Amino acid sequence: MKRCLFLLMAALVCLSASAEFRFGPTVGVNGSSLYWKQDLVTTRYKVGPTAGILGELMIPGIGFGVDIGLRYQLNGAKVNFGERPVWSGAPDYMGNQDVWFHTLQIPLNLRFKYTRLDGLERIVAPFVYAGPVFTFNLATNHVPVIETPGGTVDVQIGAGAELFEHLQVSGGYYWGVSYQVRTIKLDNFSARPQGWFLQLAYLF
């Protein structure tokens, strides 16, 4: 068992030594909403920007690798708290409310890029990726009836294409594993984030 573990670690070290690392800026948009544990309020999507840095580590020849990023994302939802007396009455008087989250995200994905296209991969190379996203809540707009944790964990999947060996265009979907917001007056009434994203990256 120890010998197998040693051989596996040695293989990983050798693969990492031959891997190609690139990085560059990334920008995009996301459409997000909040999915509550119970259907008590109407919630609609909001669209916000994304910007940051993306790093890619690929193993030549087999097409597998990982990527990691550091990005700012503004996401949120429109929540109609006024549908329920618990928030629409005194002293809250809440109606339709935009809820925004300023977040710092660290995505970590396993990715596969198909590069055996007889030279066509120099023009376009499709890829897919999936992995967790560690999100830290930096700030939110003032909504007195809710509270937010310090961060959340999401899972994302995506697909795209690399153009001319540098420009990457991709999109995907993400689901919140932990809650991003909960109400103050109702115990255990919380919501997880969920939505789509489109992003553009240029890797040097």
Side-chain angles (χ1 to χ4, degrees), residues 27-42:
V27 295
V29 296
N30 74 94
S32 60
S33 188
L34 294 170
Y35 286 80
W36 302 86
K37 281 189 173 182
Q38 297 173 315
D39 188 18
L40 297 181
V41 292
T42 301

Side-chain angles (χ1 to χ4, degrees), residues 157-180:
I157 59 172
E162 182 175 284
L163 307 176
F164 305 105
E165 300 184 303
H166 291 286
L167 185 64
Q168 294 189 354
V169 182
S170 66
Y173 208 83
Y174 69 91
W175 300 265
V177 177
S178 58
Y179 78 91
Q180 190 175 28

Side-chain angles (χ1 to χ4, degrees), residues 65 78 97 102-103 109-110 120 149 151 154 166 169 178 186 197 199 201:
K78 179 180 285 292
Q97 180 69 47
H102 299 271
T103 64
N109 298 301
L110 176 66
L120 184 61
D154 308 325
H166 291 286
V169 182
S178 58
L186 297 184
F197 60 88
Q199 61 182 17

Side-chain angles (χ1 to χ4, degrees), residues 34 36 41-46 76-83 87 92-101 140-146:
L34 294 170
W36 302 86
V41 292
T42 301
T43 307
R44 302 182 185 277
Y45 273 82
K46 298 291 291 183
K78 179 180 285 292
V79 185
N80 188 10
F81 289 106
E83 292 177 339
W87 299 297
D92 298 318
Y93 300 110
M94 298 296 294
N96 291 336
Q97 180 69 47
D98 290 337
V99 181
W100 288 107
F101 303 96
T140 184
N141 61 320
H142 180 65
V143 183
V145 298
I146 64 171

